[in-house]
Amino acid sequence: MRVGLFVTCLVDSMRPSIGFSTIELLESAGCEVMVPQAQTCCGQPAWNSGDHDSTHKLAQKWLAEFEQFDYVVAPSGSCVGMTKTHYTEVFKNDPDLKMRAARLAARTYELTDFLVNVLGVDKIKLGVSELKQITYHDSCSGLRELGVQNQPRTLIGKMGGVEILEMKDSRQCCGFGGTFALKYGEVSSAICTDKCEQVQATGAQAVVLGDLGCMLNIEGRLRRMGDNTQVLHVAELLTGRKPGQI
């Protein structure tokens, strides 16, 4: 099957190792992975800020670039949540674009959801990690918009040798929320501090999650707290990549 990889803005600019790990996982299961070179943003920041005109232009561009593929996969619950959940609202006044968006939404997946529920875990070649104990944070968009919770845990469980130490409330927000962290910095910081204290209480070597925005938020707070706990994307863990390794 031909899979279009939506790299996402943050992965492209901040942590390309997540993109390379995603390609490795998909190709290990026999997928032909294509990366449209002109891809940009899905429009989520503009949408959250009320700039619907810019969102419409970005969404239309995204749709044109990705609807050629059998499936579209992204290592980000928030970006996939935008395209699957909100594009029909973005295109509400354009029936043709709304129908095209709905068709593509049915073929668009967050990475771990695709690996488990479309490909099947037995087809995927998983790497070996030096980590023995990790804890998992459920990022809000993946969890609440896409139902991603058991999928990453299933994959980690298949690795062998990696134990998941569940934190007090893995489903609690880390305080990022995109523009929320900019608009309400003090509230965001307090929420993130609470999340980091939950991570520390597990004694895990690393906190693993599926959204880079949340990763950057949690890692920044941990470092300010003097904590060197590793912060990994689930794709990096599943391939055995070290943080930032390409």
Side-chain angles (χ1 to χ4, degrees), residues 19-189:
F20 285 105
S21 295
T22 298
I23 293 172
E24 182 178 331
L25 290 166
L26 294 171
E27 289 185 340
S28 76
C31 297
E32 180 186 5
V33 183
M34 312 293 290
V35 185
Q37 294 299 297
Q39 65 176 284
T40 51
C41 180
C42 65
Q44 181 187 173
W47 180 252
N48 291 341
S49 300
D51 185 355
H52 292 183
D53 289 340
S54 295
T55 305
H56 191 282
K57 293 175 183 176
L58 288 166
Q60 190 170 353
K61 177 180 182 294
W62 189 92
L63 187 63
E65 289 170 345
F66 282 98
E67 61 186 342
Q68 63 181 294
F69 300 110
D70 299 323
Y71 292 95
V72 180
V73 175
S76 166
S78 61
C79 296
V80 172
M82 176 66 193
T83 62
K84 285 181 74 75
T85 306
H86 300 292
Y87 270 14
T88 51
E89 176 67 15
V90 172
F91 296 130
K92 65 180 180 180
N93 295 322
D94 191 320
D96 177 61
L97 287 172
K98 183 177 180 179
M99 183 177 297
R100 287 167 57 193
R103 288 199 197 102
L104 186 54
R107 310 195 310 273
T108 303
Y109 287 84
E110 182 273 339
L111 174 63
T112 63
D113 192 25
F114 185 73
L115 295 177
V116 171
N117 291 319
V118 177
L119 296 181
V121 293
D122 292 336
K123 291 184 178 180
I124 303 153
K125 182 180 179 181
L126 300 174
V128 177
S129 176
E130 296 176 356
L131 299 170
K132 300 302 179 186
Q133 294 180 321
I134 64 98
T135 190
Y136 197 90
H137 166 68
D138 297 291
S139 298
C140 293
S141 292
L143 175 68
R144 294 172 174 84
E145 291 185 333
L146 306 174
V148 173
Q149 183 175 23
N150 294 327
Q151 298 93 319
R153 290 171 171 81
T154 297
L155 291 162
I156 294 168
K158 287 285 185 179
M159 292 184 72
V162 180
E163 180 185 6
I164 301 176
L165 304 176
E166 295 289 359
M167 67 182 81
K168 178 183 175 183
D169 190 354
S170 64
R171 296 160 58 96
Q172 179 177 310
C173 180
C174 74
F176 178 60
T179 55
F180 176 86
L182 299 176
K183 294 175 181 177
Y184 307 102
E186 291 185 4
V187 177
S188 173
S189 294

